[in-house]
């Protein structure tokens, strides 16, 4: 066994001696290369948008003569603004090729991403660095100078139609016209778009601007286009050529415009925007120039249809008036130059002498049409009663025509020519309207249970106005300008028998029941309650239909008034009280569903 071990040890030693004596081949030696020489196919480059996909410049360099196959060589092309010593360079990497080409768009993107303004020439330093594929033996070329001008992609605005547009208020929410355009990119920058519009001749000096972000389409509704055209200088109810253009902006602030499209011109007939309400004020009227909330209801127009307001009013000869959309506010006004009607003018276009009243004092019907932008003033032979009541066996008081009709069966004056009431009617019976409670000298009515032509005195059927076929709660509207009445089922909040105020804005705080009569409203007609009460200048309050009961409540969200809310719709914080202590007149109207709070 010992001998075998010795033989193995001897063999291993001889093998080691043999290996140590074998000569290794020398490592390969690569000679130094030569710095490449860079050239350009052009030293001044000014591509246009049409060159976006075309090669506009090629940079070439000589072979650096490395000791490896050229396919394994690496080249880095560096471009930077002249004089920055390549501190903010942009690079392009090329493998195994002695050059690189750029399209107009590629070159434009490089300039844009540097943050350079488009359309201007800038000088650039350019060089190439060569190396082996593993980045060893880097050699830098000469630096060449090239002047490059960037470009912007033009915009073209395309309308769905360039035909003339007649904007109708009856189509207010419909689409009037749409536009589209292609993108106008500038490098990796964020580009937003907007449409500008102006009347022809305005030259876009103060255009209307509608912003669309990065979207490439635009839809104008009738209302939006009408408002924009008027804001641009078109007069409501007139026909005007309006021009549109799309503008691209650098960034999101719309303060750095880049590209403007050529304008698109469309002939547009506008309508005067219709206000929510309309009033007459002036020394030709009963209230003189007292423009306050008192204009409602006797000097408030009634809405005749989708485009018109009307009023019947006494006018004094030799004086003037204007129309206002908000009682107590002079921000906007309407009027004209003729005593008999004509073009409806707005704001500063209204004569300083105001709209002249007719030559003869009397009762007149005024109709204002916002579609045509006109008003008419014509003599009116009839008269609107100062009050209106309902009486008949279809009502709670039957045919007891006494002063006791007020206030439960007294209509609410809605405007200068309209009255409204919410009342229970019993099927199979009848009723009439009377202008004076307790007096049968005059009456009004009709032949239909649902409404129709308003008849007067002897024209009212002897059987009176028929109640609806089903007993229930109904809303009746009587309009003396259109000489019509309507009777419709009423499903809203029922008019309470009484109304009270409770809350820490009042003297009684949140104690319920509240002190009466100091915190109990007075019913002035079928749907209206009024109360003048001291409020603390802090806190909140509610209206209650039953004193001492929290089952139902009414209120709102505004200090000065607004929409009347009921039960769970009332804010949890209740109706906010005024910030200044004092006496306030509160009017709650259940047919209008409003409340007003006015400091006395």
């Amino acid at each position: 066994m010992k001998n075998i071990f010795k033989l193995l040890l001897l063999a291993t030693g001889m093998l080691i001696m043999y290996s140590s004596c074998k000569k290794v081949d020398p490592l390969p030696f690569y000679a130094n290369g030569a710095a490449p020489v860079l050239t350009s196919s052009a030293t001044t480059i000014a591509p246009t948008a049409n060159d976006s996909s075309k090669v506009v410049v090629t940079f070439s360099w000589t072979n650096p003569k490395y000791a490896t196959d050229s396919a394994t060589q690496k080249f880095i092309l560096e471009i930077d603004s002249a004089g920055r010593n390549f501190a903010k360079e942009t690079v392009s990497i090329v493998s195994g090729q002695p050059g690189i080409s750029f399209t107009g768009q590629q070159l434009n993107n490089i300039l844009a991403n540097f943050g350079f303004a488009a359309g201007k020439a800038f000088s650039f330093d350019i060089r190439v660095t060569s190396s082996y594929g593993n980045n060893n033996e880097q050699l830098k070329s000469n630096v060449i100078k090239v002047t490059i001008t960037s470009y912007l992609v033009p915009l073209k605005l395309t309308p769905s139609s360039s035909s003339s547009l007649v904007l109708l208020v009856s189509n207010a929410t419909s689409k009037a016209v749409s536009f589209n355009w292609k993108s106008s990119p500038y490098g990796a920058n964020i580009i937003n778009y907007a449409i500008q519009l102006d009347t022809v001749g305005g030259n876009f000096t103060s255009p209307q601007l509608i912003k669309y972000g990065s979207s490439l389409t635009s839809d104008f509704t009738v209302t939006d286009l009408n408002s924009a055209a008027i804001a641009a200088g078109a007069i409501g109810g007139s026909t005007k050529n309006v021009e549109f253009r799309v503008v691209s902006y650098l960034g999101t602030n719309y303060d750095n415009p880049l590209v403007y499209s050529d304008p698109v011109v469309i002939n547009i007939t506008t309508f005067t925007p219709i206000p929510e309400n309309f009033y007459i004020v002036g020394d030709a009227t009963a209230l003189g120039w007292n423009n306050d909330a008192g204009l409602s209801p006797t000097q408030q127009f009634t809405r005749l249809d989708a485009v018109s307001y009307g009023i019947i009013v006494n006018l004094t000869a030799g004086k003037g008036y204007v129309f206002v959309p908000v009682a107590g506010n002079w921000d906007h006004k309407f009027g004209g130059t003729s005593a008999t009607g004509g073009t409806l003018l707005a704001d500063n276009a209204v004569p300083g002498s105001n709209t002249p009243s007719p030559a003869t004092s009397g009762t007149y019907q005024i109709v204002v049409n916002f579609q045509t932008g006109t008003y008419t003033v014509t003599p009116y032979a009839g008269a609107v009663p100062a009050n209106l009541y309902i009486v008949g066996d279809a009502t709670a008081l039957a045919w007891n025509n006494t002063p006791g009709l007020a206030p439960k069966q007294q209509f609410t004056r809605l405007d200068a020519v309209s009255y409204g009431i919410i009342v229970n009617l019993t099927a199979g019976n009848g009723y009439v309207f009377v202008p004076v409670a307790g007096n049968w000298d005059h009456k009004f009515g009709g032949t239909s249970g649902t409404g129709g032509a308003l008849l007067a005195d002897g024209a009212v059927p002897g059987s009176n106005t028929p109640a609806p076929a089903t007993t229930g709660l109904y809303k009746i509207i009587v309009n003396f300008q259109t000489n019509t009445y309507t009777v419709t089922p009423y499903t809203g909040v029922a008019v309470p028998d009484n109304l009270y105020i409770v809350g820490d804005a009042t003297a009684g705080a949140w104690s319920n029941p509240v002190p009466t009569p100091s915190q109990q409203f007075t019913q002035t007609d079928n749907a209206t309650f009024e109360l003048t009460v001291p409020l603390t200048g802090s806190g909140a309050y509610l209206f209650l239909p039953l004193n001492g009961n929290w089952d139902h409540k009414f209120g709102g969200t505004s200090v000065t008034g607004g929409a009347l809310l009921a039960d769970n719709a009332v804010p949890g914080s209740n109706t906010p009280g005024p910030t200044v202590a004092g006496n306030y007149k509160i009017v709650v109207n259940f047919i209008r569903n409003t409340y007003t709070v006015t400091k006395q």
Side-chain angles (χ1 to χ4, degrees):
M1 187 70 177
K2 277 184 169 181
N3 291 332
I4 293 174
F5 178 74
K6 289 179 179 179
L7 288 172
L8 289 173
L9 186 59
L10 177 61
T12 301
M14 291 177 67
L15 181 60
I16 293 172
M17 289 178 63
Y18 174 78
S19 298
S20 63
C21 291
K22 186 177 179 180
K23 186 176 181 181
V24 178
D25 293 335
L27 292 172
F29 173 76
Y30 298 108
N32 291 334
V37 177
L38 177 65
T39 58
S40 174
S41 62
T43 56
T44 301
I45 310 164
T48 67
N50 292 331
D51 299 320
S52 61
S53 59
K54 299 176 184 177
V55 171
V56 295
V57 66
T58 298
F59 298 105
S60 305
W61 48 85
T62 59
N63 191 330
K65 298 179 181 179
Y66 290 124
T68 60
D69 187 278
S70 60
T72 66
Q73 296 171 4
K74 179 179 178 181
F75 302 95
I76 300 175
L77 185 77
E78 302 170 272
I79 302 175
D80 201 355
S81 182
R84 291 202 298 207
N85 198 27
F86 299 97
K88 298 182 180 180
E89 63 182 5
T90 182
V91 300
S92 300
I93 299 175
V94 180
S95 295
Q97 298 294 329
I100 183 173
S101 297
F102 291 89
T103 65
Q105 182 175 350
Q106 289 172 327
L107 209 57
N108 205 56
N109 288 344
I110 291 173
L111 269 67
N113 294 336
F114 270 131
F116 296 145
K120 294 184 179 181
F122 294 92
S123 180
F124 292 88
D125 290 339
I126 303 174
R127 71 184 180 188
V128 67
T129 299
S130 64
S131 70
Y132 286 109
N134 60 2
N135 292 323
N136 285 342
E137 187 107 20
Q138 291 189 347
L139 299 173
K140 297 188 182 300
S141 75
N142 58 309
V143 176
I144 64 173
K145 292 189 180 296
V146 175
T147 299
I148 307 174
T149 302
S150 61
Y151 64 87
L152 289 167
V153 178
L155 283 168
K156 181 180 180 181
L157 185 65
T158 304
S160 57
S161 172
S162 56
S163 300
S164 296
L165 292 173
V166 177
L167 304 179
L168 300 175
V169 69
S170 56
N171 299 329
T173 60
S174 301
K175 184 173 72 175
V177 67
S178 61
F179 296 92
N180 65 76
W181 55 92
K182 292 184 178 180
S183 64
S184 178
Y186 187 48
N189 292 293
I190 295 174
I191 304 295
N192 278 347
Y193 301 91
I195 285 183
Q196 293 181 346
L197 72 153
D198 200 356
T199 53
V200 171
N203 300 316
F204 294 102
T205 52
S206 298
Q208 297 303 298
L209 185 74
I210 300 94
K211 302 172 183 178
Y212 293 100
S214 59
S215 177
L216 302 178
T217 61
S218 160
D219 286 334
F220 279 90
T221 66
V222 168
T223 294
D224 290 342
L225 183 55
N226 189 74
S227 298
I230 290 174
I235 296 174
S238 69
T239 300
K240 195 82 171 178
N241 285 328
V242 177
E243 54 185 354
F244 303 77
R245 68 183 182 186
V246 62
V247 186
S248 65
Y249 291 85
L250 184 65
T252 60
N253 293 328
Y254 293 91
D255 57 2
N256 190 355
L258 294 179
V259 185
Y260 298 86
S261 73
D262 289 334
V264 171
V265 177
I266 299 178
N267 183 267
I268 298 176
T269 300
T270 58
F271 59 85
T272 303
I274 301 178
E276 292 185 8
N277 293 292
F278 211 53
Y279 306 85
I280 187 172
V281 61
D283 56 4
T285 72
L287 295 180
W289 288 106
N290 298 312
N291 181 14
D292 54 32
L295 293 176
S296 177
T298 57
Q299 293 189 199
Q300 181 176 356
F301 281 73
T302 189
R303 188 73 172 262
L304 299 178
D305 52 38
V307 299
S308 302
Y309 277 101
I311 195 171
I312 295 169
V313 63
N314 283 304
L315 296 176
T316 302
K319 299 185 180 299
Y321 60 87
V322 293
F323 312 126
V324 294
V326 180
N329 187 298
W330 290 108
D331 288 349
H332 296 287
K333 62 182 179 180
F334 299 88
T337 60
S338 169
T340 58
T343 300
L344 182 67
L345 305 175
D347 297 332
N348 293 331
V350 178
S353 56
N354 306 300
T355 310
S357 62
T360 303
S361 297
T363 303
Y364 289 84
Q365 176 177 253
I366 303 175
V367 176
V368 178
N369 188 305
F370 286 90
Q371 179 64 57
T372 60
T374 59
Y375 71 103
T376 59
V377 184
T378 55
Y380 184 79
V384 179
N387 291 290
L388 197 66
Y389 306 84
I390 187 171
V391 61
D393 56 4
T395 72
L397 294 181
W399 289 106
N400 298 311
N401 183 12
T402 69
L405 292 175
K408 297 294 184 182
Q409 293 188 200
Q410 180 178 355
F411 279 75
T412 299
R413 187 79 176 259
L414 300 178
D415 51 44
V417 299
S418 301
Y419 286 89
I421 195 170
I422 297 169
V423 62
N424 275 299
L425 296 177
T426 303
N429 294 329
Y431 60 87
V432 292
F433 312 129
V434 293
V436 180
N439 186 299
W440 290 107
D441 289 349
H442 296 287
K443 62 182 178 180
F444 303 93
T447 61
S448 169
T450 58
L454 183 67
L455 306 176
D457 298 330
V460 178
S463 56
N464 306 301
T465 309
T470 303
T471 298
L473 196 61
Y474 290 86
K475 179 167 73 172
I476 303 175
I477 303 294
V478 179
N479 187 305
F480 285 92
Q481 183 157 16
T482 60
N483 282 317
T484 59
Y485 72 103
T486 61
V487 184
T488 55
Y490 181 77
T491 58
V493 176
V495 179
D497 290 328
N498 292 287
L499 199 64
Y500 306 86
I501 188 171
V502 63
D504 55 5
T506 71
W510 288 107
S511 297
N512 186 18
V514 303
T516 58
S518 61
Q519 291 186 207
Q520 179 176 1
F521 283 77
T522 298
Q523 187 172 12
T524 58
D525 57 41
N526 166 264
T528 308
F529 292 82
E530 294 184 0
L531 173 66
T532 298
V533 61
L535 297 177
T536 62
S538 62
Y541 58 87
L542 294 169
F543 310 128
L544 301 176
L546 292 173
N547 198 11
N549 186 296
W550 294 104
D551 288 349
H552 296 288
K553 60 184 178 180
F554 303 97
T557 61
S558 170
V559 170
T560 57
L564 182 68
L565 306 175
D567 296 333
N568 293 332
V570 179
S573 56
N574 306 302
T575 309
T579 56
V580 178
N583 287 331
Y584 288 83
K585 181 180 181 180
I586 303 176
V587 179
V588 180
N589 189 297
F590 285 90
I591 198 166
R592 292 178 179 268
N593 281 320
T594 60
Y595 72 103
T596 60
V597 184
T598 309
K599 196 173 190 303
Q600 300 303 289

